[in-house]
């Protein structure tokens, strides 16, 4: 439940949602519904997946007590923490999800920039630092109502820009309140991608490069 979420997780989720909202590649993919009608939900799902990866690196608080208690049943969670995700790991995850769920093959290096910032957000969250999170939230708020622009086969992040427009993102993601989304994220109320009856992600487009 969100009420049981640690301050670290809450702070990290806030920053993560804002950083993803600022990612031009993801913004245009959501705006153009390249991930289908559930594109906005997939953006939140992506944030949930990343949050889970970092939370898995937090040792269970009672691990030292339950791991060696032979009189108790095995704990629901492992008594050890998984390795903390690094920039390369998150970048690979972002590239794969953008390709699988939005049919976008990124070659502009922006996934690395996002991954680096995500790792920084986790480091700051563990230390209780919220300055960077607030900066990202301000920037994300300023982007609301702006139409993302892009160039196909763009070579660098400089080929992305946003234009002023009174029309909000058709998917509705630009009008979201991060404060409302964070509890849902931490409650694991995440929308999953379209899955067919055989258990595979539904593919709607292929071959787009950015």
């Amino acid at each position: 439940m969100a009420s049981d979420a640690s301050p670290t997780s809450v702070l990290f989720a806030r920053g993560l949602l804002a950083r993803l909202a600022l990612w031009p590649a993801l913004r245009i993919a959501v705006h153009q519904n390249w991930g289908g009608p559930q594109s906005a939900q997939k953006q939140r799902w992506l944030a949930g997946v990343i949050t889970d990866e970092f939370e898995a690196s937090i040792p269970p608080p009672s691990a030292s007590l339950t791991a060696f208690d032979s009189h108790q049943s095995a704990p629901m969670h492992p008594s050890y923490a998984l390795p903390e995700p690094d920039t390369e790991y998150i970048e690979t995850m972002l590239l794969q999800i953008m390709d699988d769920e939005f049919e976008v093959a990124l070659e502009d290096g922006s996934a690395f920039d996002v991954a680096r910032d995500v790792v920084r957000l986790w480091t700051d969250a563990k230390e209780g630092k919220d300055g960077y999170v607030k900066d990202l939230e301000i920037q994300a708020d300023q982007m609301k109502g702006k139409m993302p622009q892009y160039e196909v086969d763009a070579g660098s992040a400089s080929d992305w820009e946003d234009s002023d427009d009174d029309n909000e993102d058709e998917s509705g993601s630009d009008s979201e309140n991060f404060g409302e989304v964070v509890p849902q994220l931490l409650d694991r109320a995440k929308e999953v991608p379209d899955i067919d009856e055989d258990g595979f992600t539904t593919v709607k487009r292929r071959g787009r490069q950015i």
Side-chain angles (χ1 to χ4, degrees):
M1 296 296 291
S3 59
D4 298 325
S6 69
T8 295
S9 296
V10 173
L11 186 59
F12 175 70
R14 284 173 49 198
L16 176 60
L17 288 166
R19 183 61 184 89
L20 291 179
L22 290 169
W23 188 11
L26 183 57
R27 294 187 69 236
I28 188 63
V30 171
H31 183 267
Q32 295 294 331
N33 282 329
W34 287 349
Q38 293 185 337
S39 291
Q41 290 92 327
K42 287 183 178 182
Q43 179 173 341
R44 292 190 292 273
W45 171 79
L46 171 58
V49 169
I50 296 175
T51 299
D52 284 346
E53 290 290 334
F54 281 94
E55 287 188 332
S57 68
I58 302 177
S62 59
S64 60
L65 298 177
T66 60
F68 304 103
D69 190 343
S70 60
H71 299 290
Q72 295 184 8
S73 59
M76 294 295 293
H77 301 286
S79 58
Y80 56 88
L82 297 177
E84 192 169 291
D86 58 13
T87 299
E88 182 179 1
Y89 181 87
I90 298 300
E91 178 190 19
T92 300
M93 175 185 294
L94 292 172
L95 289 172
Q96 181 173 345
I97 291 178
M98 288 296 290
D99 187 24
D100 291 346
E101 305 305 335
F102 295 97
E103 309 302 333
V104 174
L106 286 173
E107 299 179 353
D108 64 348
S110 64
F112 174 83
D113 295 335
V114 175
R116 178 194 58 207
D117 293 345
V118 167
V119 171
R120 175 185 172 182
L121 282 167
W122 181 251
T123 300
D124 284 359
K126 289 191 299 181
E127 298 175 358
K129 299 178 180 178
D130 64 356
Y132 186 44
V133 171
K134 291 180 177 179
D135 286 344
L136 290 176
E137 288 179 329
I138 291 174
Q139 294 178 49
D141 187 64
Q142 293 173 341
M143 296 300 293
K144 291 179 180 179
K146 292 186 176 182
M147 299 284 285
Q149 305 293 321
Y150 73 102
E151 294 181 8
V152 177
D153 294 323
S156 69
S158 63
D159 293 315
W160 298 87
E161 62 180 18
D162 291 87
S163 63
D164 292 324
D165 197 297
D166 292 333
N167 295 323
E168 292 187 349
D169 191 321
E170 294 177 359
S171 67
S173 61
D174 271 359
S175 62
E176 286 183 338
N177 186 314
F178 294 151
E180 296 176 355
V181 177
V182 167
Q184 298 174 14
L185 200 65
L186 299 178
D187 275 338
R188 302 300 183 268
K190 302 185 284 281
E191 296 290 341
V192 297
D194 292 334
I195 305 297
D196 64 20
E197 60 184 6
D198 296 319
F200 295 99
T201 302
T202 301
V203 175
K204 298 182 176 63
R205 294 180 177 84
R206 177 61 62 186
R208 184 181 293 109
Q209 288 189 334
I210 292 178

